[in-house]
């Protein structure tokens, strides 16, 4: 099955009891058993829920994996992945990553004796330098947030395999339509389905997809034992969102390219970060690794101050000032004071998150209106 067919059909069958073409929302906490221990595969809804199962199977198909495991949020999925590790284990992560992932790593798991190293993954040698016998996991986010760097997944996987280390890719920014890390050798893919998979800014949910059965068993154990599961309504909303993932993504990427091309020519704009620009240092890698360059764009201003950024942030009408990304509507944000406020100033400036850096999640509106909106705000 090709991707556009999978989003609509993979793992999804009409309901056998009624013929309902859409997956029912199984709003139940428990299931009647025929005799003690004799049941239809469902005992208690923390452990299994049929709506969630359909979503998990659909996501596994989209990522070309074998097992999907869903969670109450993207961070609950990250929480389960790090819980595969034990005190004394070490993780190498990219240094330009989602602020909430940085926070759960450093503020929670570091206290439980897991050590994290944050490196610039543009140069794979930085990863090699941090590897030791305790290294158990490499955590990649690509494109990175908010600098839109591209990490070479295949190159990192090669280093990891030589050292028996698991590779996890947070695929939230690309979505499985643009990139399937399991095909490049990654062991684990995780998502904030809150973003492109849901696509309508109306639900928070997380997901993990793996190929390996033993790894899936451990993650299912953690899903049930820690209990951060998504409800059936939320699972259903993500299933509904996924059906148009490819259509939304095509339009959003096309709009993002046009927005980036416009910003490059604007006299008040300093630097534009978008993998679809020829000037992007990893433009070729993006073309090789991704179907399209994504719909996130960031840029800095020649006047590098918070007040200059604030004028733009409060000047747009269509680009709404809000955290998050990946919905049909365009959003504008200020990483330094919003998504990346939990990262110390020296840390964030090292990666390029300066005071004037502005991040756009480009939606699927009419491109002329979007550019007009940015033009006005930059004036
Ligand atoms: C939003 C986000 C997360 C966290 O997901 P939630 O669903 O908000 O918990 C993780 N990684 C990336 C890249 C994100 O954008």
């Amino acid at each position: 099955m090709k991707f556009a067919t999978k989003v609509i059909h993979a793992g999804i069958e009409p309901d056998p009891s009624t013929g309902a073409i859409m997956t029912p929302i199984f709003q139940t906490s428990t299931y009647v058993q025929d005799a003690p221990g004799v049941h239809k595969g469902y005992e208690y809804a923390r452990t299994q829920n049929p709506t969630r199962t359909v979503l998990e199977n659909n996501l596994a198909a989209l990522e070309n994996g074998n097992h999907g495991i869903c969670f109450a949020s993207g961070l609950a999925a990250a929480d389960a992945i790090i819980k595969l590790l034990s005190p004394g284990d070490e993780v190498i992560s990219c240094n330009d990553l989602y602020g909430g992932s940085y926070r759960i790593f450093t503020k929670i798991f570091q206290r439980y004796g897991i050590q994290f190293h944050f490196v610039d993954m543009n140069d794979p040698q930085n990863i090699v330098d941090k590897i030791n016998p305790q290294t158990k996991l490499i955590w990649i986010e690509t494109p990175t947030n908010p600098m839109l760097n591209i990490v070479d997944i295949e190159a990192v996987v090669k280093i990891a395999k030589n050292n028996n280390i698991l590779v996890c890719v947070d695929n939230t920014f690309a979505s499985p339509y643009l990139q399937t890390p399991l095909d490049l050798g990654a062991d684990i893919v995780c998502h904030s389905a809150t973003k492109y998979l849901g696509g309508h800014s109306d639900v928070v949910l997380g997901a993990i997809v793996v190929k390996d059965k033993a790894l899936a068993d451990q993650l299912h154990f953690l899903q049930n034992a820690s209990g951060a599961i998504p409800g059936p309504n939320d699972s259903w909303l993500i299933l509904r969102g996924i059906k148009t993932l490819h259509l939304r993504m095509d339009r959003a990427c096309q709009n993002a390219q046009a927005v980036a091309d416009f910003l490059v020519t604007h006299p008040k704009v300093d630097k534009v970060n978008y993998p679809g620009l020829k000037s992007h240092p990893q433009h070729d890698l993006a073309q090789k690794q991704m179907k399209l360059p994504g719909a996130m764009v960031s840029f800095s201003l020649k006047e590098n101050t918070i007040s200059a950024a604030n004028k733009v942030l409060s000047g747009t009408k269509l680009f709404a000032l809000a955290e998050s990304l990946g919905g049909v509507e365009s959003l504008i944000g200020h990483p330094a004071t919003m998504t990346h406020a939990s990262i110390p100033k020296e840390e964030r400036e090292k990666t390029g998150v300066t005071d004037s850096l502005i991040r756009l999640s480009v939606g699927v509106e009419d491109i002329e209106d979007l550019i007009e909106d940015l033009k006005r705000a930059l004036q």
Side-chain angles (χ1 to χ4, degrees):
M1 245 188 252
K2 298 281 200 310
F3 194 87
T5 311
K6 278 199 225 173
V7 293
I8 293 161
H9 295 290
I12 302 169
E13 296 289 340
D15 177 46
S17 64
T18 61
I21 193 159
M22 286 299 140
T23 307
I25 300 168
F26 286 91
Q27 193 73 52
T28 188
S29 65
T30 191
Y31 309 86
V32 177
Q33 307 195 3
D34 296 333
V38 181
H39 53 75
K40 300 177 171 68
Y42 294 93
E43 297 149 277
Y44 183 64
R46 178 171 12 82
T47 324
Q48 311 102 345
N49 176 284
T51 316
R52 188 177 92 205
T53 302
V54 172
L55 173 62
E56 292 176 334
N57 293 341
N58 182 250
L59 282 169
L62 297 187
E63 285 288 1
N64 295 335
N66 299 320
H67 309 275
I69 308 106
C70 287
F71 293 85
S73 69
L75 282 176
D79 178 82
I81 294 164
I82 305 300
K83 282 178 180 161
L84 292 166
L85 308 179
S86 302
D89 288 349
E90 296 188 14
V91 179
I92 301 170
S93 161
C94 48
N95 62 352
D96 177 19
L97 85 161
Y98 179 67
S101 302
Y102 181 84
R103 182 176 55 199
I104 195 173
F105 294 171
T106 57
K107 293 276 188 340
I108 298 182
F109 284 111
Q110 213 147 275
R111 287 197 289 115
Y112 288 81
I114 296 168
Q115 209 181 318
F116 295 85
H117 302 280
F118 298 94
V119 306
D120 177 354
M121 289 194 179
N122 285 340
D123 180 1
Q125 187 58 38
N126 293 332
I127 301 173
V128 176
D129 289 346
K130 291 289 180 202
I131 290 178
N132 65 48
Q134 275 67 52
T135 312
K136 296 289 156 60
L137 178 71
I138 298 177
W139 185 283
I140 304 174
E141 213 179 286
T142 182
T144 66
N145 179 16
M147 298 312 294
L148 287 321
N149 291 313
I150 306 293
V151 177
D152 187 337
I153 298 173
E154 257 181 323
V156 176
V157 163
K158 199 160 158 230
I159 295 168
K161 294 286 165 256
N162 288 339
N163 293 277
N164 227 350
I165 299 167
L166 289 175
V167 173
C168 172
V169 178
D170 181 337
N171 205 24
T172 302
F173 268 39
S175 90
Y177 182 51
L178 303 189
Q179 128 189 319
T180 44
L182 298 179
D183 291 337
L184 302 174
D187 303 283
I188 305 170
V189 169
C190 72
H191 276 281
S192 170
T194 314
K195 315 294 168 53
Y196 290 105
L197 292 170
H200 295 74
S201 307
D202 51 10
V203 58
V204 172
L205 194 143
I208 300 174
V209 178
V210 300
K211 279 190 167 165
D212 183 64
K213 170 80 166 62
L215 198 50
D217 287 346
Q218 288 180 63
L219 289 163
H220 273 126
F221 172 81
L222 286 162
Q223 180 194 40
N224 181 52
S226 286
I229 50 138
N233 270 286
D234 289 350
S235 301
W236 183 87
L237 278 168
I238 300 293
L239 270 171
R240 178 156 104 162
I242 285 173
K243 293 180 203 299
T244 55
L245 175 63
H246 55 308
L247 304 173
R248 290 184 281 108
M249 232 36 208
D250 277 339
R251 171 60 84 86
C253 292
Q254 192 187 333
N255 281 353
Q257 181 76 51
V259 162
D261 290 342
F262 158 74
L263 288 171
V264 162
T265 63
H266 199 283
K268 288 196 181 159
V269 171
D270 184 28
K271 191 164 170 281
V272 183
N273 309 303
Y274 182 64
L277 291 173
K278 290 226 168 58
S279 58
H280 189 286
Q282 297 140 311
H283 178 68
D284 292 343
L285 174 60
Q287 285 206 307
K288 180 176 132 216
Q289 188 164 282
M290 304 172 75
K291 183 180 163 70
L292 294 165
M296 299 298 295
V297 179
S298 66
F299 63 101
S300 52
L301 301 173
K302 289 209 173 114
E303 187 189 337
N304 185 28
T305 62
I306 290 189
S307 72
N310 276 343
K311 275 186 208 142
V312 180
L313 292 157
S314 53
T316 55
K317 291 203 171 79
L318 286 175
F319 281 88
L321 179 63
E323 305 228 2
S324 200
L325 60 114
V328 286
E329 67 293 318
S330 294
L331 300 180
I332 188 166
H334 188 231
T337 56
M338 294 168 73
T339 47
H340 287 60
S342 56
I343 301 179
K345 187 173 159 82
E346 319 81 69
E347 272 312 304
R348 70 169 162 82
E349 286 199 334
K350 257 190 258 167
T351 63
V353 184
T354 56
D355 285 347
S356 75
L357 189 81
I358 291 169
R359 189 186 84 172
L360 303 176
S361 169
V362 182
V364 302
E365 299 96 331
D366 188 282
I367 187 58
E368 285 179 26
D369 290 332
L370 292 181
I371 287 179
E372 202 49 48
D373 196 39
L374 289 171
K375 224 181 243 172
R376 189 173 43 228
L378 279 160
Q379 249 164 26

